[in-house]
Amino acid sequence: MSQDIFVITEHLQGHVSDISYVMLAAARVLSKGSGGKVIAILLGNEAKSLSDNFAADEVFYLDHPKLAEFTPDAYNAVLGGLIGNHSPRAVLFGDTSIGGDLAGKLSARLNLPLISHCLKVYAEGSVLKFTSQICGGKIMAEGDLPEPTVLVMMVPGGYKPEEGQSEQPPKVTAIPVPGLEDLRITLTQYIEPETGDVDISKEPLLIAIGRGIQTEDNIELAQELADAIGGVVCGSRPVVDQGWLQASRLVGKSGKAVKPKIYLAMGISGAPEHAEAITGSNMIIAINMDSTAPIFNIAKYGTTADLFDLVPVLTEQVKAAKNG
Amino acid sequence: MNIIVAIKLVPDLVEELSIDADGTALDTTWMRLIINEFDDHAIEQGILLKESNGGQVTVIAPDAEGIDDMLFTAAAKGVDRVIKLTGNFGTTTNNHALGRALAAVIDTMQPDIVLTGVQAHNDLDGPTGPLLAEFIKRPYVGYVAGVKVDGGKAQIRKEYPGGLVADMEVTLPAVLGIQAAEKPPRYVPISKVRQAMKTTTIEEQEIQELTPEGGPTISRMFQPEAAERATMIEGSEDEIASRIVAILKEQGVF
């Protein structure tokens, strides 16, 4: 058993994901309370240099051709042994497409408690605590991190990625990798995102629509406003899942992060999966009838007017202002 | 093909949420429950697989207010068999407990593929899928938006941030966490649901024990106070629109 904090770092196609640095920043907070080290766990193939800017006391590097890119079975096989042998105080995973395939399986396999949707961690003396963000950002839940070992899935937003970076490369220890035979999940290929007609991550004026737009026909309302302003229509997950907008127009966790000058959010609640991708916006203006919608916590201006009444009026006024 | 879909109900976020008197859980008195939207996609993907490969789709859900209607709706969409887990289920039942309950029932059914929503907005101890997968010792992949089955293998499409997609091959039986079905969940008219109510029997399976082992203990639950809240624009549509136009002008949009 140890008081160390493990961070299961994530990378795809040779790029370290920001959540890895967010977790390293959180791990630093926990290690101050536990008195242990921050240990970054890196699985890869000839990928040691990915850890050069990790703000960690030590990196455990596990190299194997079958670990070159993420697959759930190979990662689980390796991490089960590592966590079981070392028994750290806490293991941080991303609440992501990678961490989500690992933490639950390892919790059940190693019989270790698991906490998800974790936004922040704290140390009060040697007692370690967590705050999770649930119900689309409307509810926070707090508690102590169970002892002696706990698995935690972290969402972005609690720490800046820069807080988990360092100019001083950390000490790297190579850890032997067990045999990886009989894997039941293999990577066939990657498919790069469709480029689409526009790149929303580079557009300065975005008219974004969410579930509140209600029907496909209503998208015309947003399009007319976008045409009047000279902006581009994008949307949140429910709108793209319905097939009302192309996948290239998706803003959020599984889509693009955007940083426009103006982000006009219409009928978007601002759940964490969406909010994390728009915090780089210069100004967010939100139209949503639910006054408790989390979007109002990150917007500069907001209104609870009915978008179906407001948007046509707004479009006319924008046209008038441009012509005047 | 034996296709099983595990679903659950979650609080409807359109309604106002409140915290109970202890300050450690959601107040369920007036809470409206709806199907977890990812589970709705899992049902759709299950039916699509049945349509392409043949077989039977079974939907399993823990008991909750409104679950019967949800199961009849699934039957009306084309699900063959619906099972309700009964016992001491509540909104505080965690996913470790649910995962063990589902595993006990599903393992005996010898599924070829088990689908569930990739996550739910109220998960505090991880999503159900990977827990269930390990309890029945099967592989798991989540964030899946596309499944094709051929022989004993599934070709799945897994989503990563930024729109990157990975195609993976999974040896069946397996558990998949569905992010989105290949088509939007189908609409079913209320008349068909009423018909399903007459022709479908909800099978019940009693779960004896639901222990919370594996999840955290919550000491405090609260609604977050924003550090900075939006300046709210009030008035008629005309007034609100002119204020927004003025803001856009200030920002140099036109």
Side-chain angles (χ1 to χ4, degrees), chain A residues 9 20 85 97 127 131 184 209 222 262 289 301:
Chain A
T9 61
S20 303
N85 289 337
S97 190
V127 179
T131 301
R184 295 168 295 181
I209 49 177
I262 302 284
M289 287 172 78
Y301 295 100

Side-chain angles (χ1 to χ4, degrees), chain A residues 268-316:
Chain A
I268 287 180
S269 69
E273 300 80 35
H274 187 78
E276 69 179 65
I278 63 173
T279 49
S281 304
N282 171 60
M283 182 186 282
I284 298 167
I285 304 172
I287 304 172
N288 195 308
M289 287 172 78
D290 176 4
S291 64
T292 67
I295 190 77
F296 293 124
N297 298 340
I298 53 172
K300 172 82 172 158
Y301 295 100
T303 173
T304 54
D306 185 337
L307 77 90
F308 300 112
D309 295 331
L310 176 60
V311 173
V313 179
L314 181 58
T315 304
E316 287 314 309

Side-chain angles (χ1 to χ4, degrees), chain A residues 12-13 70-73 95-98 100-101 104-109 111-117 129-144 146 153 183-194 205 211 229 237-238 241-243 252-256 261-262 264 273 282-283 285 287 290-293 295-306 309-310 313-314 317-318 321-322, chain B residues 11 13-19 26 37-38 41 96 100 119-127 130-131 133-135 137-143 145 155 157-171 173 179-181 183-185 213-245 247-254:
Chain A
L12 287 164
Q13 298 184 308
F70 173 76
T71 58
D73 243 18
D95 206 323
T96 60
S97 190
I98 291 179
D101 285 1
K105 277 220 118 195
L106 291 166
S107 168
R109 179 172 148 202
N111 207 14
L112 294 172
L114 171 62
I115 292 160
S116 55
H117 282 133
K129 295 175 174 290
F130 71 92
T131 301
S132 287
Q133 183 182 44
I134 56 168
C135 297
K138 287 187 164 185
I139 299 288
M140 308 298 277
E142 285 180 352
D144 293 352
M153 295 169 71
L183 296 176
R184 295 168 295 181
I185 304 170
T186 52
L187 176 68
T188 314
Q189 63 173 343
Y190 281 119
I191 299 170
E192 298 296 329
E194 285 173 43
L205 301 170
R211 199 187 300 274
I229 292 183
R237 183 94 217 180
D241 278 349
Q242 288 296 330
K253 186 174 177 176
S254 47
K256 287 209 165 125
K261 189 167 188 178
I262 302 284
L264 183 56
E273 300 80 35
N282 171 60
M283 182 186 282
I285 304 172
I287 304 172
D290 176 4
S291 64
T292 67
I295 190 77
F296 293 124
N297 298 340
I298 53 172
K300 172 82 172 158
Y301 295 100
T303 173
T304 54
D306 185 337
D309 295 331
L310 176 60
V313 179
L314 181 58
Q317 289 206 16
V318 167
K322 279 200 147 177
Chain B
L13 297 184
V14 172
E15 307 283 317
E16 195 162 331
L17 301 174
S18 54
I19 310 293
L26 288 173
E37 62 171 317
F38 299 111
H41 280 267
H96 281 72
R100 284 186 285 264
Q119 59 171 314
H121 64 64
N122 62 346
D123 293 335
L124 270 171
D125 61 331
L131 295 167
E134 187 59 26
F135 290 135
K137 301 283 174 211
R138 298 297 178 194
Y140 173 84
V141 187
Y143 288 81
Q155 310 298 331
R157 189 147 279 199
K158 178 178 176 68
E159 292 194 347
Y160 288 119
L164 180 69
V165 165
D167 282 347
M168 292 188 180
E169 183 175 270
V170 186
T171 304
Q179 163 90 27
K183 292 180 185 168
E213 189 194 338
T217 304
I218 302 303
S219 56
R220 178 174 168 238
M221 206 175 260
F222 59 100
Q223 289 167 308
E225 282 176 28
E228 277 181 88
R229 227 182 120 70
T231 303
M232 299 306 280
I233 308 169
E234 315 278 350
S236 68
E237 277 83 35
D238 261 326
E239 289 163 346
I240 295 168
S242 12
R243 182 75 189 102
I244 294 176
V245 168
I247 293 163
L248 295 176
K249 274 186 183 162
E250 284 163 24
Q251 292 296 313
V253 172
F254 44 77

Side-chain angles (χ1 to χ4, degrees), chain B residues 7 35 40 43-44 47 50-51 57-60 67-83 186 188-189 191-203:
Chain B
I7 67 164
I35 188 169
D40 205 17
I43 292 175
E44 181 62 33
I47 298 171
K50 175 185 150 182
E51 287 170 353
V57 185
T58 305
V59 168
I60 305 185
I67 193 63
D68 287 8
D69 288 347
M70 213 54 72
L71 291 173
F72 286 130
T73 305
K77 287 179 173 183
V79 166
D80 302 282
R81 206 179 148 195
V82 288
I83 300 175
R186 66 194 67 194
V188 57
S191 59
K192 274 194 114 179
V193 178
R194 285 214 189 91
Q195 206 179 336
M197 283 177 178
K198 288 179 194 149
T199 55
T200 308
T201 306
I202 296 177
E203 299 169 46

Side-chain angles (χ1 to χ4, degrees), chain A residues 57-96:
Chain A
D57 298 311
E58 191 171 351
V59 175
F60 286 178
Y61 176 54
L62 296 99
D63 190 290
H64 193 286
K66 287 184 178 164
L67 297 174
E69 291 294 329
F70 173 76
T71 58
D73 243 18
Y75 264 56
N76 271 315
V78 169
L79 292 174
L82 190 66
I83 295 166
N85 289 337
H86 201 91
S87 295
R89 175 68 184 87
V91 186
L92 308 187
F93 298 84
D95 206 323
T96 60

